[in-house]
């Protein structure tokens, strides 16, 4: 019984992944990209990396 349920769950996951990839491909052809806007500016990202490197050496 558990084997049958895991098979159905795997099939459902494959369908969801396939539909998601198809939707993203369709959006790319229309000139849109997936995902949200970046939360940080390039300056903030660079500063975060510098701080991380400075404190990870301690």
């Amino acid at each position: 019984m558990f084997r049958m349920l895991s098979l159905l769950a795997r099939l459902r996951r494959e369908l969801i992944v396939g539909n998601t990839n198809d939707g993203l491909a369709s959006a790319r052809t229309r000139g849109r990209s997936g995902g949200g806007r970046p939360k940080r500016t390039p300056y903030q990202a660079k500063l975060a990396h510098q701080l991380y490197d400075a404190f990870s050496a301690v």
Side-chain angles (χ1 to χ4, degrees):
M1 179 69 177
F2 288 116
R3 213 175 271 199
M4 182 61 74
L5 290 175
S6 72
L7 177 68
L8 290 173
R10 188 179 309 154
L11 178 63
R12 181 175 171 143
R13 181 185 182 282
E14 288 175 7
L15 287 172
I16 291 170
V17 168
N19 288 339
T20 300
N21 288 336
D22 291 345
L24 288 172
S26 174
R28 282 188 203 104
T29 60
R30 292 187 312 245
R32 308 216 33 166
S33 62
R37 294 189 176 122
K39 302 286 189 228
R40 290 172 204 82
T41 65
Y43 171 75
Q44 290 172 329
K46 182 179 178 183
L47 180 62
H49 282 288
Q50 289 173 348
L51 290 172
Y52 179 80
D53 291 340
F55 285 106
S56 64
V58 173

